[in-house]
Amino acid sequence: MIVVIFRIGIDDTDTSSGYCTTFVATLLLEEALRLGFEIIDFPHLVRLNPNIPYKTRGNAAVALILKGEIEKVEILFKKFEEICEGLIDEKADKPNPVMAFYNGDQELLREFYNRCLVSEISIEETMGLARKLGIKFLALRGVRGLIGAIAAIGANLDEFTYELLAYRDPNDKGRERGLSYAKVLEMDRLFKKYTFHNIDEGKKRILITPHGRDPVLVGIRGSDPDKLIEAFKFLGIQAQRWLIFKTNQGTDAHLKEAMKNENFARYGVIYEEAKIKDRPKVMPGGHVILDCLIKGKHAEALVYSESGAMNKLARYLHEGDLVRIGGGIKEIGASKMTINVERIEILSLSDVYLRKRPVCARCGSRLKSAGSGKGLICKNCKIEIPFEFHILTKIERPLMEGQVLLPPPRSRRHLTKPIEGNYQGIRKEFSLDYFYSKFLFPQKESVVNLS
Ligand SMILES: [Zn+2]
């Protein structure tokens, strides 16, 4: 009997129900406990490069960190296959569930994870890495999920937040989750210090529930696992299972990584200084295009109308302003790139002046040119000034140096760090207090309010 600490990475490319990966992970963790494995840390819910088009919704993968008999890992693989059987839609090409196992040095996968945050990784490279490090995996259809599964194993989560995910019976495919905006708003008010992205106040929208038919009831994000349980309890909804994950959500992990290296390639994440070259162009539909120069390269930065205040404020940018733009490269050519903007930080603002002719001292009307080289004239009073000049008025703009522009919560990336407070996760040891399953712990009192 050999006891080891190991990591299981799971990725599932289902697009219609983005939380399936966490649900599969929850079921697998339940099985791991039945088999006598010890849980070493919160499961890791890892978001990767949000610009990859074939991603699962939200591009999430999960890693479980366990300790136990290596001989029993085979049973976990079998259980994974069993769980996923029901998920695979033969008619669609999704999902393509992959489970990977690794008990080597996590450090060796750190760079791989970091690159998965900011660039597009090929499956060939990933297969090569798996071979080199002896990562065992099971791919139930395509192998694309291996990228996320290995990245999740490699995610070091130096900075992290938590998310409590609660699930209903997976056979219950209703859309109703029994939560009103008023209730979630009340929860948000009470737990504002510890939870984030609960609601979008502008559109009065609930952000803690998915809209699809997946088994997730709610996902509450925040800094303290105990407060997440309190917030969940406050909502008073019934769940079959709930589990708290440690995650890179709300940490700007991708932008921090982008600052270290240039990722000037298709789908690359950038966080670079940009010099504004021209007046922002407002397109029909309200999208704003910022013409700028990034490391000597011409760029068109797109600020979509869905970006709310960021879109409105970006219109006040001006030639000569220096900003730092975070986002993904949509297209890149030899002379130009197009960027989808997700964050703008204002570094320095140029002085912008309005240049006007002076007004007449007697009647107050604007002076006109009296002809080339002939000075100015008031057409009312016929008063002449023998030379031409202008008055410069500095334009005040609703922008400040150091200001960060973000879309409203409803349009943010999972990885986006909220600006509403500090939600960096506090370190806590995992315990079974952070996991509830009515099947695994039938006697344990569910924290949900069943009244
Ligand atoms: Zn006059």
Side-chain angles (χ1 to χ4, degrees):
M1 185 181 95
I2 306 163
V3 172
V4 291
I5 290 179
F6 60 92
R7 288 169 196 254
I8 296 283
I10 300 168
D11 196 15
D12 167 346
T13 57
D14 193 340
T15 51
S16 60
S17 46
Y19 278 101
C20 263
T21 309
T22 69
F23 186 58
V24 169
T26 304
L27 297 180
L28 199 61
L29 196 71
E30 201 169 301
E31 189 60 22
L33 283 173
R34 283 199 188 99
L35 291 168
F37 287 104
E38 188 187 330
I39 303 172
I40 296 300
D41 193 8
F42 290 87
H44 291 180
L45 164 55
V46 176
R47 302 285 178 175
L48 302 169
N49 185 350
N51 304 298
I52 304 287
Y54 47 77
K55 66 188 179 182
T56 55
R57 193 188 68 195
N59 215 357
V62 175
L64 305 179
I65 301 104
L66 303 170
K67 184 180 174 183
E69 291 171 46
I70 199 161
E71 293 85 355
K72 281 189 182 170
V73 171
E74 210 48 53
I75 310 175
L76 282 181
F77 273 106
K78 282 207 186 76
K79 184 68 191 176
F80 177 74
E81 201 172 348
E82 210 176 283
I83 295 166
C84 292
E85 238 165 43
L87 290 176
I88 291 181
D89 178 356
E90 294 298 339
K91 280 168 253 151
D93 59 345
K94 296 155 182 165
N96 293 276
V98 171
M99 169 175 157
F101 164 89
Y102 181 61
N103 67 337
D105 182 3
Q106 194 208 9
E107 274 299 306
L108 299 175
L109 293 175
R110 181 187 277 249
E111 198 218 333
F112 182 80
Y113 159 68
N114 286 339
R115 285 178 46 235
C116 283
L117 286 170
V118 294
S119 46
E120 188 185 21
I121 304 290
S122 75
I123 189 67
E124 292 75 23
E125 179 194 336
T126 311
M127 299 278 273
L129 182 72
R131 262 193 303 275
K132 192 178 134 200
L133 297 180
I135 297 170
K136 293 194 187 83
F137 67 91
L138 173 68
L140 295 177
R141 260 204 315 201
V143 282
R144 186 166 294 288
L146 185 62
I147 303 170
I150 294 184
I153 291 174
N156 43 285
L157 304 190
D158 294 332
E159 196 180 340
F160 61 89
T161 61
Y162 294 95
E163 180 165 2
L164 182 151
L165 282 155
Y167 307 93
R168 58 182 165 191
D169 180 340
N171 297 315
D172 173 6
K173 302 283 189 206
R175 287 177 181 274
E176 199 52 59
R177 285 175 172 85
L179 268 184
S180 67
Y181 178 77
K183 187 75 180 173
V184 184
L185 177 69
E186 212 182 333
M187 182 276 266
D188 182 74
R189 290 287 181 270
L190 280 169
F191 296 93
K192 210 170 187 55
K193 219 180 137 198
Y194 310 99
T195 62
F196 62 93
H197 294 168
N198 298 317
I199 45 168
D200 186 282
E201 294 201 51
K203 292 266 192 230
K204 294 207 178 340
R205 202 178 286 172
I206 298 174
L207 302 180
I208 58 171
T209 56
H211 303 291
R213 289 158 176 267
D214 54 279
V216 174
L217 283 168
V218 285
I220 312 170
R221 293 156 283 230
S223 57
D224 181 341
D226 294 299
K227 294 290 176 186
L228 292 183
I229 295 174
E230 278 180 45
F232 176 57
K233 200 171 181 175
F234 177 80
L235 293 175
I237 50 172
Q238 287 190 50
Q240 280 196 334
R241 301 174 169 88
W242 54 263
L243 174 62
I244 297 180
F245 292 77
K246 201 186 252 189
T247 158
N248 63 356
Q249 295 172 160
T251 66
D252 277 346
H254 62 320
L255 298 182
K256 276 184 231 148
E257 184 57 29
M259 274 184 101
K260 293 184 205 156
N261 298 296
E262 279 174 21
N263 300 294
F264 291 167
R266 190 180 59 153
Y267 309 139
V269 175
I270 62 149
Y271 195 36
E272 299 280 352
E273 281 186 15
K275 190 96 169 170
I276 306 292
K277 297 300 290 173
D278 205 346
R279 292 202 137 175
K281 287 196 258 313
V282 181
M283 306 306 287
H287 306 316
V288 169
I289 299 179
L290 302 171
D291 256 317
C292 50
L293 211 58
I294 296 178
K295 292 218 167 118
K297 212 170 163 57
H298 177 216
E300 279 189 349
L302 309 177
V303 188
Y304 292 104
S305 58
E306 293 80 2
S307 313
M310 178 166 82
N311 172 283
K312 297 283 177 298
L313 290 170
R315 298 170 189 217
Y316 289 96
L317 287 168
H318 198 276
E319 184 184 345
D321 291 345
L322 188 66
V323 295
R324 183 174 286 120
I325 286 179
I329 295 180
K330 197 179 167 206
E331 282 160 33
I332 185 159
S335 59
K336 197 182 87 176
M337 59 182 158
T338 314
I339 299 159
N340 291 331
V341 179
E342 55 176 86
R343 179 189 165 101
I344 300 174
E345 189 184 340
I346 296 171
L347 301 177
S348 72
L349 291 169
S350 57
D351 288 336
V352 181
Y353 294 98
L354 193 65
R355 195 166 175 267
K356 276 187 175 170
R357 295 221 169 84
V359 292
C360 168
R362 185 189 284 170
C363 75
S365 60
R366 188 75 56 194
L367 298 181
K368 299 272 188 293
S369 170
S372 178
K374 290 182 181 161
L376 299 168
I377 184 167
C378 172
K379 301 272 182 184
N380 285 340
C381 318
K382 307 295 175 210
I383 289 173
E384 288 182 36
I385 297 175
F387 49 89
E388 238 188 281
F389 68 102
H390 288 88
I391 307 262
L392 295 180
T393 321
K394 192 174 164 184
I395 298 176
E396 294 301 330
R397 295 185 280 164
L399 300 172
M400 277 185 313
E401 288 177 5
Q403 190 177 357
V404 170
L405 311 183
L406 279 188
R410 66 178 182 277
S411 305
R412 290 179 192 168
R413 306 289 202 192
H414 290 286
L415 284 164
T416 302
K417 192 175 204 163
I419 40 174
E420 290 77 17
N422 174 18
Y423 299 105
Q424 189 164 338
I426 56 168
R427 288 194 187 276
K428 286 201 171 167
E429 292 283 314
F430 182 82
S431 82
L432 290 179
D433 294 341
Y434 300 126
F435 185 23
Y436 172 75
S437 156
K438 90 175 200 190
F439 308 98
L440 197 61
F441 315 112
Q443 314 90 328
K444 186 170 161 182
E445 195 195 339
S446 164
V447 294
V448 295
N449 175 5
L450 295 172
S451 63

